[in-house]
Amino acid sequence: MATHTEQLTSRPAPSATTAPAAPAVRLRGLTRSFDGRTVLDHVDLDLPAGQLTALLGHSGSGKSTLLRAIAGLDHEVVGSGELSAPDRVSVVFQDSRLLPWRRVLDNVLLGTDGKEAAERGRAALAEVGLAGRERAWPNELSGGEAQRAALARSLVREPELLLADEPFGALDALTRIKMHGLLRELWERHRPSVLLVTHDVDEAIVLADRVLVLDQGRIGLDLTIDRAHPRSYRDPLLGEYRERLLAALGVTEDHTGSEAHPDQEDHQ
Amino acid sequence: MTTSIPSATAATSTAAATAVSEDGENGRSDETGETGEISQTSGAAETAGAAETSGAAETAAPARRTGRRRRGGLSPGKRLPASRLIGPVLFFALWAGASAAGQLDTNAIPAPWTVLRTAGQLWSDGTLSTDILTSLRRAGSGFALGLTAGVVLALTAGLSRVGEALIDGTVQLNRAIPTLGLIPLFILWLGIGETFKIAIIAIVVYIPIYLNLYSALSGIDHRFVELAEVQGLSKLRFIREIVIPGALPGFFVGLRLGVTGSWLGLVVLEQINATSGLGYMMFQAQNYGQTDVILVGLLIYGIFGLVSDSAVRLIERRVLSWRRTLNS
Ligand SMILES: Nc1ncnc2c1ncn2[C@@H]1O[C@H](COP(=O)(O)OP(=O)(O)OP(=O)(O)O)[C@@H](O)[C@H]1O
Ligand SMILES: [Mg+2]
């Protein structure tokens, strides 16, 4: 299966507004396997600088594997291929991963140094709405607050590339919607390239300029979402994208709950 | 202050996905079986610690709550003031009561006031203070030596693969030999003086400290290893900012076991090979049938144990203050 770019409209992608010249991330023939089982199978992918991309896929499809490869966290994994990524990469994990023995500000500053680091840390905490909680212990934060602190920790390093692996997966629906707004806002202000791994099709549609579906070790669908921000979850125009993505994920919306075959993808 | 990122200048560099030395990464699973017993102890101690620090949330149920009364939950609730002393006080009250009522054979169990009077006499003789000092010096030197050895060995084994290969198996072997069984050999090697006593106490102390600290160091959460990599921490900063603080709770479990061990070692050594000290005093008293003197010795051992354990607890609470906020 070849990687194919699909667009619902013929207009050029909005990401063209940011310079598409040098991609932030470039993968060529990226292959990763565990115990002889190939999870990523010659993935080719360019992430343009400053683009917010979402990555969807079944559980076990290799989303985290791909993200960890880009983050350079997969030392022991067997693989091949070509990979280039920026120097300053931040990762937001599904759990906030704050060190329980450091206060929130010290957590945000983990790995940074310099005189004005503390100032930047404070500013980042203020940006995510945690001003005044600098001296709190991580255990005192709610799940959403902890995840915001983790976001602040990743921002403080001024990343060129932000990798997020289901960063809102453990949050309740209401908090998640607020976090979507926050993430989009932070992205607009700092413009890092973002790769957001998610299970949530709606999250992907509302947040991202481009949605990728990982299927059988390849990018099965590469969809540019050409809608102005902020997007509403109820926007009927987004329904089209949703159907397309669900079809690519092998889910049909015909209430029978039966799984569609891959070749049904082109029905509509 | 807002930070901005020049989006177009995506200076890409090839992220080398080469293998990095494995040190300090993957949690080492080999210790789980062997230190299972210690882990269990640590679990119990941690529960006790948590119980100690919980309770704030359980106070003051709203007054207007009617109907179903708010239950206390599974937390044992707020600690009673000076609760640790209630048991001992009750025990002494019973002892005094039974003595006053003439229910106890005074030859076997003298009354508390007899014991106190004997203690006073021994103190004014000057013999008691010398004995106490001798015993304290022994336990103190043995403990200090054991603590140092335990920490140094655990750091070496926990932070380097070579250290682990050299040290861990050896300590596990040492641990399998009951330390008190080494007494005859140590007397032959070191003579019956102070050195062998201090050496035995040091061994009793270093083992739990080593086991708990090593297991805490090598059992560092893999997620934090990943985090350190993502945040670009150097090896040294990773050890200082993540591995060591993360291992402190385990260290304190070992420390408390070590403190207990130092007293245990002292009592055994002084009872068996007494030439001076509190144990010697008690040994002599046994020959003359002075139960009150024996009880004075036991009382002082008890106070030593209680005070040192409380001191460690206090330090632990200070150092691990972040744990207090664990929602219980
Ligand atoms: N360290 C590992 N050792 C062995 N197999 C692994 C390892 N990590 C991942 N895998 C396997 O690789 C496949 C892809 O895993 P991955 O975590 O990338 O999936 P995912 O798409 O992120 O799933 P999810 O949405 O559930 O997080 C899975 O089948 C998984 O079992
Ligand atoms: Mg995953």
Side-chain angles (χ1 to χ4, degrees):
Chain A
M1 188 182 5
T3 304
H4 51 291
T5 305
E6 298 190 32
Q7 279 182 243
L8 288 178
T9 59
S10 53
R11 286 199 286 141
S15 59
T17 54
T18 59
V25 174
R26 195 184 128 91
L27 310 181
R28 287 294 175 273
L30 192 80
T31 300
R32 291 289 183 268
S33 53
F34 296 105
D35 314 317
R37 204 162 44 88
T38 305
V39 171
L40 297 180
D41 184 12
H42 295 90
V43 174
D44 295 329
L45 177 67
D46 284 334
L47 296 182
Q51 194 181 50
L52 203 167
T53 309
L55 179 63
L56 286 168
H58 282 288
S59 179
S61 58
K63 304 184 294 294
S64 298
T65 306
L66 180 63
L67 186 126
R68 292 166 56 81
I70 298 173
L73 286 174
D74 56 348
H75 315 295
E76 289 107 32
V77 182
V78 180
S80 60
E82 201 184 301
L83 187 160
S84 74
D87 283 331
R88 292 199 308 273
V89 180
S90 282
V91 181
V92 183
F93 301 94
Q94 180 169 4
D95 60 310
S96 62
R97 218 163 282 202
L98 300 171
L99 301 169
W101 51 83
R102 296 185 123 197
R103 293 180 191 274
V104 168
L105 180 60
D106 296 328
N107 259 295
V108 168
L109 296 177
L110 182 71
T112 62
D113 31 28
K115 294 190 290 290
E116 15 68 280
E119 254 337 289
R120 278 193 291 140
R122 271 174 223 286
L125 276 173
E127 269 195 279
V128 299
L130 284 178
R133 304 300 302 274
E134 290 87 356
R135 304 258 319 141
W137 293 110
N139 289 318
E140 294 169 336
L141 300 182
S142 73
E145 287 170 337
Q147 207 56 358
R148 277 188 277 155
L151 213 48
R153 179 179 60 199
S154 67
L155 279 180
V156 122
R157 304 161 51 74
E158 301 186 1
E160 293 163 79
L161 172 65
L162 179 66
L163 300 169
D165 194 351
E166 299 184 38
F168 314 131
L171 304 178
D172 64 278
L174 208 63
T175 313
R176 197 150 61 214
I177 290 174
K178 285 186 187 155
M179 293 292 283
H180 292 163
L182 177 66
L183 181 68
R184 185 75 204 183
E185 189 186 303
L186 292 171
W187 173 77
E188 269 163 16
R189 202 169 312 146
H190 301 284
R191 289 284 165 159
S193 317
V194 176
L195 183 62
L196 171 75
V197 168
T198 175
H199 268 141
D200 184 342
V201 175
D202 287 337
E203 178 170 294
I205 295 172
V206 164
L207 276 178
D209 300 319
R210 179 184 178 198
V211 183
L212 308 169
V213 175
L214 195 60
D215 186 29
Q216 314 200 323
R218 299 284 188 103
I219 305 293
L221 180 66
D222 184 341
L223 195 64
T224 300
I225 306 228
D226 182 16
R227 289 278 175 269
H229 286 276
R231 297 175 186 154
S232 160
Y233 294 82
R234 288 179 306 260
D235 184 350
L237 288 172
L238 295 175
E240 255 181 296
Y241 292 103
R242 183 178 300 120
E243 261 169 49
R244 192 118 188 91
L245 288 167
L246 288 173
L249 289 164
V251 183
T252 49
E253 280 193 305
D254 58 0
H255 303 293
T256 59
S258 66
E259 292 221 330
H261 290 288
D263 51 275
Q264 273 178 279
E265 193 182 300
D266 295 318
H267 267 225
Q268 299 224 51
Chain B
M1 183 186 109
T2 48
T3 49
S4 66
I5 290 163
S7 58
T9 59
T12 54
S13 69
T14 312
T18 47
V20 169
S21 84
E22 272 188 74
D23 279 12
E25 291 185 15
N26 314 331
R28 295 153 207 183
S29 51
D30 53 353
E31 84 277 0
T32 42
E34 288 163 0
T35 57
E37 172 195 311
I38 294 296
S39 315
Q40 212 140 36
T41 324
S42 89
E46 274 167 36
T47 318
E52 194 173 349
T53 52
S54 69
E58 300 300 325
T59 57
R64 292 197 322 127
R65 193 175 284 264
T66 52
R68 223 146 59 86
R69 216 171 67 82
R70 193 162 82 154
R71 305 245 317 273
L74 294 178
S75 153
K78 197 175 160 74
R79 180 164 286 271
L80 303 170
S83 56
R84 221 180 284 284
L85 291 175
I86 292 175
V89 166
L90 203 67
F91 172 78
F92 278 102
L94 278 175
W95 178 15
S99 303
Q103 295 290 312
L104 297 176
D105 174 4
T106 50
N107 283 327
I109 308 175
W113 41 89
T114 319
V115 174
L116 285 179
R117 198 177 322 115
T118 311
Q121 273 162 14
L122 289 170
W123 184 266
S124 45
D125 285 355
T127 55
L128 186 59
S129 52
T130 340
D131 286 334
I132 288 178
L133 273 181
T134 313
S135 294
L136 273 179
R137 203 161 40 231
R138 270 175 202 151
S141 330
F143 177 75
L145 208 64
L147 176 65
T148 314
V151 169
V152 169
L153 289 174
L155 285 176
T156 318
L159 300 179
S160 89
R161 292 291 189 202
V162 178
E164 184 183 38
L166 290 175
I167 292 169
D168 194 52
T170 320
V171 176
Q172 299 293 348
L173 188 75
N174 185 183
R175 180 186 164 225
I177 304 167
T179 307
L180 300 177
L182 294 173
I183 291 177
L185 194 63
F186 271 55
I187 291 179
L188 285 180
W189 284 350
L190 302 170
I192 200 157
E194 289 305 286
T195 324
F196 105 88
K197 294 195 182 71
I198 291 170
I200 294 280
I201 293 173
I203 292 178
V204 173
V205 169
Y206 103 92
I207 288 177
I209 289 178
Y210 169 86
L211 290 176
N212 282 283
L213 183 55
Y214 168 72
S215 130
L217 286 171
S218 50
I220 173 89
D221 193 334
H222 189 76
R223 298 173 316 132
F224 290 151
V225 180
E226 235 174 54
L227 175 70
E229 268 182 62
V230 165
Q231 299 293 116
L233 261 63
S234 65
K235 182 100 186 167
L236 196 72
R237 285 187 76 175
F238 168 60
I239 289 170
R240 217 181 46 217
E241 299 181 27
I242 295 186
V243 179
I244 305 271
L248 274 181
F251 167 71
F252 274 105
V253 173
L255 189 66
R256 281 173 63 183
L257 291 172
V259 168
T260 315
S262 69
W263 295 123
L264 190 74
L266 180 77
V267 172
V268 171
L269 286 167
E270 291 195 330
Q271 304 271 322
I272 298 175
N273 301 87
T275 51
S276 62
L278 283 173
Y280 176 67
M281 176 188 88
M282 290 159 74
F283 184 67
Q284 296 288 81
Q286 181 200 331
N287 288 341
Y288 299 109
Q290 299 163 315
T291 34
D292 50 345
V293 176
I294 295 179
L295 283 178
V296 170
L298 288 179
L299 204 67
I300 293 171
Y301 277 149
I303 291 170
F304 281 175
L306 215 64
V307 169
S308 54
D309 191 56
S310 306
V312 177
R313 271 169 196 272
L314 197 75
I315 298 170
E316 183 178 2
R317 275 216 260 173
R318 282 278 160 82
V319 175
L320 304 183
S321 55
W322 56 269
R323 290 189 133 207
R324 277 198 226 207
T325 56
L326 284 176
N327 29 353
S328 47

